[in-house]
Amino acid sequence: MTLVARKQLPLRPAGPDTVDALLAWYDAERRDLPWRAKGRRKQDPYRVWLSEIMLQQTTVKAVIPYYEKFVARWPKVSELAAAPLDDVLAMWAGLGYYSRARNLHACAVAVAARPDGQFPRTEAELLELPGIGPYTAAAIAAIAFGHPATPVDGNIERVVSRLFAVTHPLPGAKREIKRLAATLTPAKRAGDHAQAMMDLGATVCTPKRPSCLMCPLQQDCHAHARGIAETLPRKGAKAERPVRYGTAFLVLREDGAVLLRKRPAAGLLGGMLEVPSTEWADIVMPADMAMAGAPVRTDWWSVPGGIVHIFTHFRLELQVVRAIVPVETVLTFWAEPDRCVWVPRRDLHKAALPSVMRKIIAHALKEQ
Ligand code: SF4
């Protein structure tokens, strides 16, 4: 990025001049991201949609390798639609928020089933597809089809709240921020405008220490003029995250296979593989009660330490126990044998295992 300090000019209300300044900045400084069309080429709606779904709750840096793997394997939406869901979940493993992967597949199937096999072009039609909410519908409509839609993600929320000095805290201020953001959406180049706002939020108008002196919108920014930029957007007090506890059972067979179980399709980590465990409860279960739910009857070794994983709505603390068992071992009723599979250790890297399960396995096997 070219860093040029700007002169102090009189404050003006954010409006068409703001948009022009932002687009000029974007033309010079836009981030080179793999899902963005180069030069004057048209944006591919499939790639816009895929990247937007992946970017929900996830950083650009984490998304890029996943995005590249997906488009290399399934270059078109019809190919993703034809893929088995388990393959999509396995490819998604590690990216988190697994309902996104199930909805991604369901959405690809719905698009492929349309008469033209293409994504619809309007926000209203996009909103009817699985996994597409108001933000994603607006982002696809603007970026892929140039409609004057106004997506508001965390970056845009921050830029707008500062530009207009919205001091009312989130989440109550969301509606007002969206209304103000829409006043800036241009009739032409709406997609570039949305991406420019995202880029500005990611690289200049950052949560801490925004680079106001380098910002193309400094002249229009009320928060900067009032010296309160870094305090915005304000947030209401957060409820403390509850803690859940459990015991995970890592069973290693003598031939090197690890016992895994498929989680139910609906709910947290739905359809992914897991290391069998007790229920994740609000209290620490007594050891004998926890061990009564073990998937095999054998001698267990308690792995020192434990693992902690932060989900959006709770913190999970797990004790891990490990056992090595003969090949002919019979699973207990509690293991729910119908949902269990033995996966060779060498194949674990390609299994549909979410990060928390990989953490458990790494912890259980580290002192072997
Ligand atoms: Fe953000 Fe500062 Fe630019 Fe205002 S002047 S939009 S606070 S970077």
Side-chain angles (χ1 to χ4, degrees), residues 197-267:
M197 292 286 268
M198 292 171 193
D199 282 13
L200 192 79
T203 62
V204 177
C205 193
T206 47
K208 291 193 180 137
R209 298 207 203 132
S211 306
C212 299
L213 292 180
M214 316 300 164
C215 178
L217 309 187
Q218 188 200 127
Q219 197 189 336
D220 316 312
C221 182
H222 288 244
H224 172 67
R226 289 168 57 183
I228 58 170
E230 202 169 339
T231 70
L232 300 181
R234 299 209 171 126
K235 295 186 179 152
K238 262 196 185 167
E240 205 164 302
R241 202 180 256 127
V243 185
R244 292 195 196 159
Y245 306 90
T247 300
F249 304 99
L250 194 287
V251 188
L252 185 62
R253 224 165 46 178
E254 280 171 347
D255 63 354
V258 173
L259 180 68
L260 297 177
R261 183 167 64 187
K262 191 164 186 179
R263 290 180 64 88

Side-chain angles (χ1 to χ4, degrees), residues 70-138:
F70 265 73
V71 291
R73 180 143 172 209
W74 300 300
K76 294 183 185 157
V77 68
S78 55
E79 289 163 303
L80 180 60
L85 174 60
D86 283 348
D87 287 6
V88 176
L89 291 174
M91 189 78 104
W92 191 277
L95 203 50
Y97 298 94
Y98 295 93
S99 59
R100 289 184 300 166
R102 289 195 304 280
N103 280 330
L104 184 88
H105 188 256
C107 184
V109 170
V111 171
R114 285 169 51 85
D116 61 358
Q118 305 292 322
F119 277 86
R121 302 172 72 92
T122 67
E123 275 181 273
E125 288 172 296
L126 286 161
L127 269 171
E128 286 175 14
L129 292 169
I132 296 191
Y135 164 77
T136 312

Side-chain angles (χ1 to χ4, degrees), residues 38-87:
K38 306 264 183 259
R40 293 185 176 277
R41 294 175 77 173
K42 276 195 161 179
Q43 287 279 11
D44 176 353
Y46 170 58
R47 290 172 186 238
V48 173
W49 162 74
L50 183 61
S51 63
E52 287 298 339
I53 299 292
M54 287 183 165
L55 285 163
Q56 290 166 12
Q57 316 278 346
T58 314
T59 62
V60 165
K61 191 171 165 218
V63 162
I64 287 175
Y66 282 88
Y67 171 83
E68 288 180 335
K69 276 193 295 180
F70 265 73
V71 291
R73 180 143 172 209
W74 300 300
K76 294 183 185 157
V77 68
S78 55
E79 289 163 303
L80 180 60
L85 174 60
D86 283 348
D87 287 6

Side-chain angles (χ1 to χ4, degrees), residues 5 77 83 145 183 189 195 206 250 285:
V77 68
F145 302 117
T183 65
R189 297 193 68 189
Q195 292 177 100
T206 47
L250 194 287
M285 229 182 256

